[in-house]
Amino acid sequence: MSERALVEPQHRTSRRVYRSDVRAARKRLAGQIRKTPVFHTTVAGPHGPVPVTLKLEYLQHGGTFKVRGSLNALLESGTDTEQVVIASGGNAGIAAALASARLGKACTVVVPESAPHTKVAAMWSYGAEVLWHGTTYAEAYSYATDLATERAALQLHAYDLPAVVAGAGVVGLELEEQVRGRPPVLVAVGGGGLVAGIATALGRRQQVIGVEPEGIPILHAALTANRPVDIDVSSIAADSLGATRIGDIGLDIARRYDVRSVLVTDDAIATAREYLWREFRVVVELAGATALAAVQSGAYIPADGERPVVVLCGANTDLAVL
């Protein structure tokens, strides 16, 4: 189970996130994160080789881009925060645990019973307290909220928090320095934090395209309805891209910067991940291969002379699945 969005009777009113917030996050994160490299190559497409630039974000500390957001949120909160609580079944919990350990804070991750053991083990490895509660992320989130109040702890959100989105957006600032021109950037969509952060960093200077499994089209559904829409999740990538609705911040930014949504099949995602291992010996989780699946399957067809950027966003997976 992933960071599935809780359907709340009263939705939070989130502060807007701007490029200035992302630039502030980059200063805050200096020396705390890796500036992950890019790799210019070609990949197999439906009609022959396709030039791409791979952003190797799976090399980030903790194997996930989410460390950027967690560290930014904790650094922004100041020194008064000694305890951190988050509800997560996956990478957000790993990121919060790592960030808390790095800054000497106690971290508790509330996970649903279905949380993958591989990811729970990673949370433990960074010293987090892991508490199981409920069978869904919504139940875990509700318990985490109560726990944060009881302990007077800082509660992080997996993707719908301004500091988390701004931290993720530093990926976009790095791409401006690493890649010539202004090619489109393809990004997998979970709750919307990464695609929103990158879109905020790049603004209208570059097209940002969200790539989603056909069985989890939260951005696509929200853009179609012009509001967040709850959906049923059905995809092999649900362990990390399984939010049931787009975050408020993610939808606001998608509207502001005309972020597109492209849908891919589960077969295309599995094929892309296997291809990365076979051709490049790159190990990513299914979410990490989702953006590449759009290029390889033909769901996204680059224009003549275009070399799109494809973000490989995470690598927390069981090696036995390859």
Side-chain angles (χ1 to χ4, degrees), residues 207-225:
Q207 174 70 60
V208 176
I209 299 161
V211 183
E212 307 180 89
E214 288 183 347
I216 323 177
I218 62 167
L219 176 58
H220 186 272
L223 291 174
T224 300

Side-chain angles (χ1 to χ4, degrees), residues 247-264:
D248 292 340
I249 297 173
L251 180 57
D252 172 63
I253 292 169
R255 287 168 171 163
R256 202 189 321 163
Y257 297 116
D258 295 325
V259 175
R260 291 172 48 197
S261 168
V262 170
L263 304 181
V264 294

Side-chain angles (χ1 to χ4, degrees), residues 1-5 63-66 88-94 114-116 119 123 137 158-159 187-194 211-213 216 218 233-245 269 273 284-291 312-318:
M1 181 66 64
S2 70
E3 280 68 63
R4 296 194 171 187
T64 172
F65 75 92
K66 287 182 178 286
S88 170
N91 288 337
I94 295 171
S114 55
K119 296 190 176 184
M123 298 172 201
Y137 174 76
Y159 52 84
V187 188
V189 178
L194 180 59
V211 183
E212 307 180 89
I216 323 177
I218 62 167
V233 171
S234 177
S235 172
I236 59 172
D239 71 316
S240 49
L241 298 181
T244 58
R245 67 186 288 144
I269 295 170
R273 180 167 72 158
V284 296
E285 58 193 288
L286 289 161
T290 296
L312 307 183
C313 58
N316 288 305
T317 188
D318 187 343

Side-chain angles (χ1 to χ4, degrees), residues 17-302:
V17 182
Y18 296 95
R19 180 178 166 90
S20 59
D21 296 307
V22 181
R23 292 172 64 87
R26 178 169 60 179
K27 290 181 180 179
R28 215 174 274 123
L29 293 171
Q32 298 283 348
I33 60 170
R34 293 175 179 142
K35 181 178 181 178
T36 54
V38 296
F39 176 38
H40 305 294
T41 187
T42 59
V43 298
H47 306 295
V50 179
V52 297
T53 296
L54 303 179
K55 173 65 166 166
L56 308 185
E57 185 60 17
Y58 68 92
L59 295 175
Q60 190 54 256
H61 295 295
T64 172
F65 75 92
K66 287 182 178 286
V67 170
R68 297 174 183 265
S70 291
L71 273 169
N72 187 50
L74 293 186
L75 290 167
E76 184 184 72
S77 70
T79 58
D80 293 338
T81 301
E82 296 183 356
Q83 295 191 62
V84 177
V85 173
I86 189 171
S88 170
N91 288 337
I94 295 171
L98 189 159
S100 297
R102 179 80 62 84
L103 300 178
K105 302 177 187 299
C107 180
T108 299
V109 185
V110 181
V111 302
E113 294 171 3
S114 55
H117 177 74
T118 299
K119 296 190 176 184
V120 171
M123 298 172 201
W124 280 332
S125 74
Y126 294 117
E129 174 189 28
V130 179
L131 302 177
W132 280 263
H133 186 87
T135 59
T136 66
Y137 174 76
E139 292 172 325
Y141 182 90
S142 178
Y143 183 74
T145 300
D146 293 340
L147 190 65
T149 300
E150 176 186 321
R151 297 184 177 181
L154 173 67
Q155 184 178 8
L156 294 182
H157 194 282
Y159 52 84
D160 204 22
L161 191 69
V164 167
V165 173
V170 178
V171 173
L173 298 183
E174 291 178 6
L175 287 173
E176 284 187 322
E177 299 172 348
Q178 295 171 315
V179 181
R180 292 182 178 180
R182 296 176 179 176
V185 181
L186 278 66
V187 188
V189 178
L194 180 59
V195 71
I198 292 176
T200 300
L202 299 178
R204 294 185 178 275
R205 294 175 298 281
Q206 286 178 245
Q207 174 70 60
V208 176
I209 299 161
V211 183
E212 307 180 89
E214 288 183 347
I216 323 177
I218 62 167
L219 176 58
H220 186 272
L223 291 174
T224 300
N226 201 32
R227 61 180 176 81
V229 177
D230 292 304
I231 65 167
D232 294 325
V233 171
S234 177
S235 172
I236 59 172
D239 71 316
S240 49
L241 298 181
T244 58
R245 67 186 288 144
I246 194 75
D248 292 340
I249 297 173
L251 180 57
D252 172 63
I253 292 169
R255 287 168 171 163
R256 202 189 321 163
Y257 297 116
D258 295 325
V259 175
R260 291 172 48 197
S261 168
V262 170
L263 304 181
V264 294
T265 66
D266 280 355
D267 284 347
I269 295 170
T271 297
R273 180 167 72 158
E274 193 277 332
Y275 178 86
L276 284 167
W277 168 246
R278 186 179 72 248
E279 295 296 324
F280 302 112
R281 289 301 186 260
V282 166
V283 179
V284 296
E285 58 193 288
L286 289 161
T290 296
L292 180 61
V295 174
Q296 289 200 292
S297 68
Y300 177 80
I301 300 177

